[in-house]
């Protein structure tokens, strides 16, 4: 993987984590936390979209949509586990 691709991947993760934190009323987790939530969320979102047969499209926008949806799902699951 090229350094530019890694930087873009991490930036998408940071933005996705931040947006998911806003959507789920978490307020974000700092830069590193947002990157982790966004990257894990991107993987989870890709898996969930694949199971449902949904395509968010390609490119930067599609990657961001997938990552935000997955990060929001991840935060929802974490919220359920915290309540239990």
């Amino acid at each position: 993987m090229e350094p530019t691709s890694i930087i873009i991947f991490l930036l998408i993760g940071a933005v996705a984590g931040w947006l998911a934190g806003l959507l789920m009323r978490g307020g974000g987790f700092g830069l590193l936390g947002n990157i982790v939530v966004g990257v894990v969320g991107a993987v989870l979102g890709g898996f969930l979209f694949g199971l449902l047969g949904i395509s968010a499209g390609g490119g930067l926008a599609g990657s961001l949509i997938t990552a935000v949806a997955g990060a929001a799902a991840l935060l929802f699951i974490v919220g359920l586990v915290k309540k239990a």
Side-chain angles (χ1 to χ4, degrees), residues 48-66:
L48 292 175
F49 279 17
L51 282 178
L52 298 173
I54 299 171
S55 173
L60 188 62
S63 297
L64 189 59
I65 290 169
T66 302

Side-chain angles (χ1 to χ4, degrees), residues 10 13-14 17 30-42 71 74:
L10 292 176
L31 180 61
L32 194 59
N34 285 345
I35 291 172
V36 171
V37 169
V39 169
V40 174
L74 177 66

